[in-house]
Amino acid sequence: MGYLLFSQEFFVHIEATALPDVLILTPARFGDSRGFFSESWNKSRLAEQGIDIEFVQDNHSLSAAKGTVRGLHFQTPPHAQDKLVRCGRGALLDVAVDIRHGSPTYGKWVSVELSADNGRQLLVPKGFAHGFVTLTDDTEIIYKCSDYYAPDCDRALMFDDPAVGVEWGIHREKAIMSDKDLAAPALADLDNPFVWVA
Ligand SMILES: Cc1cn([C@H]2C[C@H](O)[C@@H](COP(=O)(O)OP(=O)(O)O[C@H]3O[C@H](C)C(=O)[C@H](O)[C@H]3O)O2)c(=O)[nH]c1=O
């Protein structure tokens, strides 16, 4: 199994996406005959790169079957969450949708394959709905959140809203989903207070 290797002085590779505030972070992996070591998150090193977020809760979920869709979810203020998402086992297509009213990219989306092998992470800021579809059985997602779970602020957006047009590679008839997600409203009908600030 090949690992993306970096030299010691290189700790995290940061890439832009089509949504300016959504970033792909790839922490360095230091390989040897045993495998690899990686600092999957280092507050100070990210702050040096201008990414200074106070994460307070780590989440971890296992989806047993390929084709599981979780999302699109977000929390409204005062408990909106930034998320830093990675895949601990298997692979998934991670999706972020800009739901900030007035944003130049309102309703636009990006998708990135995150896997245990590629070590990529997606930074999903407040004001973006987040979801994923699993690409393998037994996929585990692990992510940091900048605010605590607040059920009263927890919202869902229809994952296959044609007005958004996310290319999931699966239809709801085949996807494994929660009842909450199957019943989620379209973007136009969403209880969504987010407003873009230039
Ligand atoms: C999110 C969350 C859930 N829970 C409890 C509530 C339910 O009893 C159970 C499953 O919750 P839910 O069905 O909302 O889990 P997911 O469908 O994986 O939701 C998550 O999936 C998408 C991809 C996200 O980005 C969100 O973090 C989150 O909404 O865990 C907690 O106790 N704490 C939490 O922070």
Side-chain angles (χ1 to χ4, degrees):
M1 180 184 303
Y3 295 116
L4 192 61
L5 301 181
F6 297 88
S7 57
Q8 279 285 356
E9 69 272 8
F10 191 96
F11 283 88
V12 59
H13 182 251
I14 300 173
E15 299 168 68
T17 68
L19 297 180
D21 302 285
V22 178
L23 301 174
I24 302 169
L25 281 56
T26 307
R29 288 184 167 184
F30 303 108
D32 62 28
S33 59
R34 300 165 298 171
F36 73 83
F37 177 89
S38 177
E39 291 185 5
S40 53
W41 174 71
N42 182 310
K43 182 173 173 49
S44 171
R45 293 204 190 281
L46 287 183
E48 287 167 5
Q49 305 286 333
I51 301 171
D52 195 359
I53 300 172
E54 193 70 31
F55 291 113
V56 297
Q57 178 175 312
D58 276 8
N59 293 339
H60 179 182
S61 72
L62 164 69
S63 298
K66 176 179 177 181
T68 301
V69 172
R70 295 182 187 244
L72 293 151
H73 300 158
F74 62 97
Q75 290 194 169
T76 57
H79 297 289
Q81 295 170 314
D82 302 289
K83 295 170 187 169
L84 181 58
V85 186
R86 66 189 177 98
C87 179
R89 181 165 54 144
L92 58 94
L93 188 71
D94 212 41
V95 173
V97 180
D98 186 353
I99 59 171
R100 300 167 299 176
H101 295 288
S103 167
T105 54
Y106 177 77
K108 302 298 183 196
W109 56 276
V110 291
S111 63
V112 180
E113 183 170 332
L114 308 181
S115 70
D117 281 354
N118 71 24
R120 296 169 101 186
Q121 303 179 3
L122 194 64
L123 182 62
V124 182
K126 300 179 183 76
F128 289 76
H130 173 246
F132 64 90
V133 59
T134 58
L135 304 176
T136 63
D137 291 342
D138 296 324
T139 290
E140 295 187 56
I141 187 171
I142 299 161
Y143 50 107
K144 309 185 87 65
C145 300
S146 64
D147 208 321
Y148 298 104
Y149 180 51
D152 292 345
C153 297
D154 195 26
R155 298 288 186 277
L157 162 63
M158 175 194 281
F159 85 108
D160 54 354
D161 182 349
V164 177
V166 176
E167 293 171 8
W168 294 96
I170 194 168
H171 294 284
R172 65 171 51 219
E173 306 83 59
K174 298 285 188 189
I176 297 165
M177 298 175 63
S178 66
D179 291 340
K180 174 181 84 171
D181 289 350
L182 285 166
L187 183 59
D189 305 320
L190 197 57
D191 167 14
N192 164 26
F194 287 105
V195 176
W196 179 70
V197 178

